[in-house]
Structure formats: structure tokens, C-alpha cells
Amino acid sequence: MSMMSMRKQRQTMPSDVIVIGGGAAGMMAAHAAALYGKQVLLLEKNNRLGKKILITGKGRCNITNRCDTDTFIRNVPQNGRFLYSAVNQLTPEETISYFENSGLSVKTERGNRVFPVSDRAGDVADVLERNIRECGVEIRPERVTRILTEGGAARGVECESGERYLASSVILATGGLSYPRTGSTGDGYRLAENLGHRVTELKPSLIPIVTEEVWCKKAQGLSLKNVTLSLVDRRDEKVLYSELGEMLFTHFGVSGPLVLSASSHLRRMEPGRYLLRIDLKPGLSEKQLDARILRDFSEQANKDFGNSLGKLLPKKLIPVIVRLSEIPYDQKVNQITREMRGRLCGLIKNLTLTVSGFRPIEEAIITSGGVDVKEISPKTMESRLVKGLFFAGEVIDVDAYTGGFNLQIAFSTGYTAGINC
Ligand SMILES: Cc1cc2nc3c(=O)[nH]c(=O)nc-3n(C[C@H](O)[C@H](O)[C@H](O)COP(=O)(O)OP(=O)(O)OC[C@H]3O[C@@H](n4cnc5c(N)ncnc54)[C@H](O)[C@@H]3O)c2cc1C
């Protein structure tokens, strides 16, 4: 037999399981299935596995969140209850043990966020890849274009290369739509739709916010720590989100942890309807702030107003606040009236921005929406429409806040699919 025909024959040999996508969910699924004695073929269109993992947590990878299942589910605003079973099958604690038993030491930081001690996301991707290779998972660089079925059951896949691979189970773990350069270009939604699955509306989540106020550009690059950010629906003044933390000004508006979290509460984007209110001094009441300003002013009575705020505000915000306060820059501090001071206090406690939109979905941390959870068994991650077809990770219509929850969703659903396929 020639080399060519030997290779051809090997390619078409059926496996037990085909995993489509070598991200966090796909690698965990492949490892679990292999540990359960399955012969696994993993198809990944990139020439390396886990490309998205490398950019997670600003290159440090927030692997999971050290919390119990109920807390976990509370941090999944979209279809959290669907995940109960999967998160119980592989809990955050078990995920931590998984990585530690694989030789990766981890540490727990503020907000129960878990990171590798090395602070290197690449180490997380390496552990997953090493584990699946050691278990004998076969990895091939292929882009899957079709899932094959026979009599309502999965039978294999067809690839862009023209190659067909056969298996009795197929796990779809192709990720979402964000950061497409990592490989997540939405293929999985089309593959699922072609088999009759419903894909709910795809929207960005955990995404920077564009504001109407162009002054943000002036403060571009400024990072605020220990501020309170509130998201308010101006129709009824309802506060949809309010948290203390960090945020960042950009050329288009705002970003940073608080803003990303606030964005996931903006389920319906209507430009002009929502306001972001920043309390720059959450530790002080208006009265305390006024007393503090009076003290600062009395120490520099002959200075111009614009030069008197250095102790109170970050440098980049001073021209912005001065302009919004409508107090002349060169007004002598000892001539500032009580009413003017009131306006200044109001701005510092309540610096308001109007939400005009999201940045494009490609810049989102995650995609909200995906394969409808009603069509997936929460206990096994198997499709209710196509026997032997399983889902794992971001391709499913679930999404969580920041803090390691999204990767844990990928690990838990991947593991559940892997042990049940
Ligand atoms: C900038 C950034 C930072 C983040 N930081 C964190 C964090 O610190 N903690 C956290 O919990 N979450 C974080 N997330 C979210 C987290 O990365 C995702 O939720 C998670 O990676 C989803 O895993 P997945 O395996 O479902 O998808 P992916 O990781 O996107 O993997 C899908 C894989 O499928 C492959 N693929 C796609 N289509 C095909 C096809 N047709 N054939 C073959 N292969 C295909 C892709 O190439 C890709 O490798 C972050 C996301 C971003 C963008």
C-alpha cells in the first residue's frame, strides 16, 4: 500500500468522538472523553490550540472564580440555571484541583479570581494541550464546514479541505464571535443552525461603551481606581448596576472592569436611554466633600480655580470638570460662591455620561446569545434535536460577568459533554 493511500485510509478511520474547536471548552471536553476511554479526534482550524486563552485576563488568565455553585449561578445573568448541573459536575474547586494536579500552581486574588502563580495565560493553555496529547487525543488542523448526520444522529464532519471524518459523537466547541483573530468567527452558530437548532440573537457582552460626550477623548488613557460607577435607566431613574472599582477613559468613551460589567446589564441597547454616573469620591458624602473643597480652597485662596484642583482630581480630568462646572478657569478661588461649589461637588459625585452604543462585537470579551439552551440537555450537553451532537462553551446561549466565570463555563460544559458523549 502506498504512503498516500495509507494516509487517506487513516484519515477516514472512525473515532468515537470528534471535538470541533480547540479552545478552553474543546480541550476540556477532549480530555474528559479520553479519560473515559474514548478515542478522540480534535479538529482546530488554527495552527495552535487555545489562542484565545492567551489573551485572557490581560495575558494572566483568570482561570475561574473560587465560589460555590449558587454564587456562581448568580454571576451568570443569561440562562444561569441551565448551568447548575454542569457546574456541579465540574465545580470551580475541582477545576482548581485539575490545574494544580497538572502541575500549575494557582493563586486567588481580589473577588475570588483565580490566576496561575506564574501570571502567564500561556501556562494554562499549555497544561490543557499537554493533557490531551498525553491522553492520546489526535489533533488535526482542520476547519469544519458541516456536521454529518444519519437518521437524526451525528455521524461525523466535513472539512474545508474536503476531508470527512466519522464518529458516533460530535462536540461543537467553536466559541463565539468576539476577537475573531483568535479563531472564534461564529462558525458554530451556522453549523448548529444547519441542523435545525435555533440561535438566539447574538450581541456583544462585557464590551466597552461609546458615549455621546466627546470630552472622554480628552481624558483618554486615564484610569480611575476606587470610583463608583452606576448605570441608570433615565426613563424611570432605575439603577441597573452600581459597583465600586476601576474604569478607564478612551477615545470613544469608557472601558475597564466596571464598564465591562455594566455593559452586561444593557440587554437592550437604545442610544440615549441609559446614563453612566461616576462618583469620583465615593468615600465622602456631599457634605464631607464640600468641607474638603473649602479646606483646599482656603489653603490656596489666591490661586486661579483651574489651578486649585490638583489635590482633588486626576490631572487629565481637571480641564473637563472646570469646563462642565461653568466656573471660569481663572476665577480666583476666594471668589467662588457657595452655589458654584455646589455645582463642583455635584460633578465630582455625579459625573454623568450618556450611553450611545457598544463597541463592535469583535471587541467584546464574550458573545451574548447562541445555541438556544431549550434545545440542549443541561445534564449531558447533548442536543435534543440531533442524537450524539453535544455543545460546549461560548457557542451556547449563556454568558457571565467578569471574574473567571466564563472560562469556568467553558470548562464545566466541556467536561460534561466529554463524559457523556
Ligand atoms: C480579551 C479577552 C479576555 C478574556 N479574559 C477572560 C478571563 O480572564 N477569564 C474568563 O473566565 N474569561 C475570559 N474571557 C472569555 C473566555 O476567553 C471565553 O469565554 C472562552 O475562551 C470560551 O471558550 P470556548 O472554548 O467556548 O471558545 P474559544 O476559546 O473561542 O475556542 C473556540 C475554538 O474553536 C475554533 N474553531 C472555530 N470554528 C472552528 C471550525 N469551524 N473548525 C475548527 N475549529 C474551529 C477556534 O479557532 C477556537 O480555537 C476573555 C475573553 C476575551 C476576548
Side-chain angles (χ1 to χ4, degrees), residues 363-391:
E363 293 177 32
I365 301 290
I366 44 165
T367 306
S368 167
V371 177
D372 192 342
V373 296
K374 288 192 210 85
E375 297 171 352
I376 305 173
S377 156
K379 290 206 163 64
T380 60
M381 295 296 137
E382 187 171 13
S383 160
R384 294 193 198 275
L385 311 184
V386 182
K387 204 173 165 318
L389 173 66
F390 295 77
F391 298 96

Side-chain angles (χ1 to χ4, degrees), residues 20-26 43-46 50-53 55-58 61-63 142-145 173-176 178-179 182-185 187-188 191 364-366 392-395 403-408 410:
I20 313 174
L43 303 174
E44 164 57 56
K45 68 177 174 179
N46 288 331
K51 246 181 144 179
K52 187 170 269 177
I53 295 175
I55 60 164
T56 56
K58 295 199 179 118
C61 186
N62 180 189
I63 303 169
E142 291 274 17
R143 175 168 174 243
V144 173
T145 47
T174 44
S178 67
Y179 283 74
T182 64
S184 44
T185 48
D187 289 7
L191 292 169
I365 301 290
I366 44 165
E394 205 174 323
V395 73
F405 302 102
N406 287 296
L407 275 174
Q408 182 63 50

Side-chain angles (χ1 to χ4, degrees), residues 20-88:
I20 313 174
M27 284 196 276
M28 183 58 88
H31 192 203
L35 287 176
Y36 271 61
K38 298 280 163 61
Q39 196 204 334
V40 184
L41 171 65
L42 187 145
L43 303 174
E44 164 57 56
K45 68 177 174 179
N46 288 331
N47 50 18
R48 71 154 295 166
L49 302 177
K51 246 181 144 179
K52 187 170 269 177
I53 295 175
L54 302 181
I55 60 164
T56 56
K58 295 199 179 118
R60 297 203 301 134
C61 186
N62 180 189
I63 303 169
T64 184
N65 195 284
R66 200 164 219 148
C67 66
D68 59 37
T69 308
D70 287 330
T71 311
F72 191 92
I73 301 300
R74 274 201 299 281
N75 280 280
V76 187
Q78 184 68 359
N79 293 321
R81 290 168 65 82
F82 169 79
L83 289 172
Y84 251 110
S85 185
V87 174
N88 276 326

